[in-house]
Amino acid sequence: MAETNKKATLTIGNDTYDLPILSPTEGPDVVDVRKLYGQADVFTYDPGFTSTASCDSAITYIDGEEGVLLHRGYPIDQLAEKSHFLEVCYLLLYGELPTAAQLEDFESRVTNHTMVHEQMHRFFTGFRRDAHPMAIMTGVVGAMSAFYHDSTDIHDPWHREVASIRLIAKMPTIAAMAYKYSIGQPFVYPRNDLDFAGNFLRMCFSVPAEDYQVNPILSRAMDRIFTLHADHEQNASTSTVRLASSSGANPFACIAAGIACLWGPAHGGANQAALESLKEIGTPDRIPEFIARAKDKDDPFRLMGFGHRVYKNFDPRAKVMKQSADEVLDLLGVENNPILAVAKEVEKQALEDDYFVDRKLFPNVDFYSGIILEAMGFPTSMFTPIFAVSRTVGWVSQWKEMIEDPQMKIGRPRQLYTGPSQRDYVDVENR
């Protein structure tokens, strides 16, 4: 970020104010309003902060108009095609792709931290059996601060490093335990001879009564899901983590806050919404009816999983995810799963429909990830927890970047007050 010679001039009544303009390495220039309140006694108004940069960051860049997603400068499709999740984790955390020795060391550190404290098992049994896995994860991750006192001092670089590794390593174990608890099966301990994605699949689907062999196609698809959801700039949950961390809260509490925000259906529940949309359609013969409804602006029905709030052209993650979806469906088939049959036909018809093509309403990453997870056998209640496993490295990377930023201040958004003006209190007998 660099200050340019350009200035923005703001006129308020008879007064004018010159505001500095900052230039990023990618993306639009930014008008610096940090001193505006002190100079002019006014705030800016931007509900949802959709036109406001809340921080500067070197981690992820998105150009929604062009369909670009970069992690530390590397396009997401190249990372998903040529790399794997833990290598991308290293990139997000440390800024550069690792050497072979660095990657081996990092993978070893993550692998050796996948077990959770045995006493934490008791937390799970305190929840009702029908508790949503996200509720369990929010509580258990927050409780990690009560177990790992050697990694809660945010001002200690070593504490930050240990906390980062622990969160990345233990999140899939916690998510799998939440799933196992919800279906009444025993917890499955992680194994150090499996990779990150394969280990997660085994912890979710193996049972003591028989051996479980990780299918490499399913493991690769799971790894891609993790990779494609690893970070997404200053989205709602990432901003929540940053806001929580600005108060000096410990890392486990901050990530628990991110999980709680991700739980919302407008955020982490998007792939679940896409699958539920397919279930509403029900059978392939009803697809034309629902596509017509989706095109009717007076009909409340929305065909979820098409288009994206950020990407106005195409979702760069979707192409890679579609390849994984095709591989998984070729392996597992769709004959006995009507939802997957509907998904394949919806994709075909929408891509041939001028309404969708002209408006660039292409299938997004949530459409394909929902299909993959359904085919693997995950219930929709596990879709968002899997998203949380993926996004943990993004949250941790953004958290570390913020803590290490000398400009860090506690978050304090302003407001446009619309309540009553000051008035005098009236005793109850005179009201």
Side-chain angles (χ1 to χ4, degrees):
M1 177 183 68
E3 186 168 336
T4 67
N5 292 325
K6 295 184 292 183
K7 303 285 184 182
T9 301
L10 176 66
T11 301
I12 303 175
N14 296 323
D15 298 318
T16 60
Y17 304 92
D18 288 334
L19 304 175
I21 293 180
L22 309 177
S23 285
T25 53
E26 296 281 358
D29 286 346
V30 176
V31 178
D32 185 351
V33 298
R34 283 176 290 182
K35 297 181 179 179
L36 181 61
Y37 174 54
Q39 293 175 340
D41 196 31
V42 296
F43 299 144
T44 57
Y45 182 61
D46 184 21
F49 308 109
T50 55
S51 297
T52 299
S54 61
C55 64
D56 55 76
S57 178
I59 298 172
T60 297
Y61 171 71
I62 296 172
D63 184 338
E65 298 296 329
E66 297 298 325
V68 171
L69 171 59
L70 307 178
H71 289 327
R72 302 288 191 179
Y74 293 99
I76 187 61
D77 55 337
Q78 294 183 22
L79 292 173
E81 200 67 47
K82 301 177 181 180
S83 189
H84 63 277
F85 180 61
L86 285 185
E87 188 173 24
V88 173
C89 287
Y90 187 99
L91 173 67
L92 291 172
L93 280 170
Y94 304 116
E96 297 292 343
L97 289 170
T99 64
Q102 288 171 331
L103 182 58
E104 182 180 3
D105 172 69
F106 181 71
E107 289 177 334
S108 176
R109 285 189 289 144
V110 171
T111 299
N112 289 316
H113 278 88
T114 51
M115 288 182 63
V116 298
H117 195 289
E118 194 71 12
Q119 193 177 352
M120 292 186 73
H121 290 209
R122 299 180 187 175
F123 279 96
F124 290 85
T125 59
F127 290 94
R128 285 171 52 113
R129 282 286 180 190
D130 58 357
H132 195 286
M134 285 294 280
I136 296 175
M137 289 183 68
T138 303
V140 173
V141 172
M144 288 174 69
S145 58
F147 284 83
Y148 302 110
H149 302 293
D150 61 340
S151 55
T152 56
D153 182 358
I154 64 170
H155 302 295
D156 187 317
W158 180 245
H159 279 222
R160 295 198 297 270
E161 178 71 14
V162 172
S164 301
I165 297 298
R166 280 179 172 152
L167 281 160
I168 294 167
K170 298 181 192 305
M171 197 67 74
T173 307
I174 292 170
M177 291 173 72
Y179 173 57
K180 284 296 195 182
Y181 182 73
S182 70
I183 60 176
Q185 290 185 3
F187 298 142
V188 177
Y189 288 87
R191 268 179 37 181
N192 290 355
D193 60 330
L194 296 175
D195 64 20
F196 191 91
N199 210 357
F200 177 67
L201 289 174
R202 180 181 173 275
M203 287 190 291
C204 286
F205 294 124
S206 67
V207 293
E210 58 187 44
D211 290 332
Y212 178 84
Q213 297 297 321
V214 178
N215 186 293
I217 293 177
L218 299 185
S219 180
R220 177 59 175 152
M222 192 78 254
D223 188 88
R224 280 178 172 167
I225 287 176
F226 289 151
T227 298
L228 294 173
H229 290 89
D231 192 53
H232 211 234
E233 213 196 71
Q234 305 307 316
N235 55 82
S237 59
T238 299
S239 297
T240 298
V241 170
R242 278 183 172 265
L243 191 61
S245 66
S246 74
S247 73
N250 73 74
F252 306 110
C254 295
I255 302 307
I259 295 171
C261 181
L262 184 70
W263 193 357
H267 190 5
N271 51 9
Q272 180 176 341
L275 203 66
E276 288 172 350
S277 182
L278 297 173
K279 290 179 179 178
E280 185 177 354
I281 295 172
T283 55
D285 61 288
R286 300 187 66 198
I287 292 174
E289 169 197 344
F290 280 89
I291 285 185
R293 289 182 61 189
K295 294 190 287 186
D296 183 354
K297 64 180 185 350
D298 296 323
D299 192 315
F301 174 77
R302 293 292 179 266
L303 190 58
M304 305 302 291
F306 286 78
H308 195 280
R309 180 185 177 185
V310 173
Y311 300 108
K312 307 307 180 186
N313 192 328
F314 66 94
D315 186 338
R317 303 166 297 173
K319 180 180 178 181
V320 182
M321 195 66 85
K322 173 176 167 51
Q323 179 183 342
S324 286
D326 290 339
E327 291 171 356
V328 170
L329 295 186
D330 285 345
L331 174 68
L332 301 178
V334 299
E335 297 81 5
N336 298 320
N337 192 323
I339 300 303
L340 300 182
V342 169
K344 293 286 283 186
E345 187 60 26
V346 165
E347 175 194 32
K348 178 177 180 294
Q349 292 191 29
L351 291 176
E352 295 172 351
D353 191 293
D354 290 342
Y355 177 90
F356 286 85
V357 174
D358 291 346
R359 289 164 176 76
K360 299 178 180 178
L361 298 176
F362 303 119
N364 59 35
V365 69
D366 299 310
F367 180 81
Y368 292 118
S369 64
I371 291 173
I372 293 171
L373 295 174
E374 168 79 6
M376 286 181 176
F378 284 105
T380 53
S381 63
M382 275 299 292
F383 287 9
T384 315
I386 289 169
F387 196 161
V389 173
S390 313
R391 186 53 58 83
T392 296
V393 65
W395 292 332
V396 167
S397 300
Q398 299 270 353
W399 167 78
K400 281 187 66 181
E401 182 181 61
M402 181 176 182
I403 296 300
E404 295 165 4
D405 185 353
Q407 299 184 93
M408 186 190 82
K409 295 180 179 179
I410 186 169
R412 181 59 171 88
R414 299 297 188 168
Q415 66 175 13
L416 176 64
Y417 177 67
T418 58
S421 298
Q422 180 174 324
R423 46 186 171 171
D424 292 330
Y425 179 82
V426 179
D427 292 334
V428 64
E429 58 270 16
N430 295 321
R431 291 176 201 160

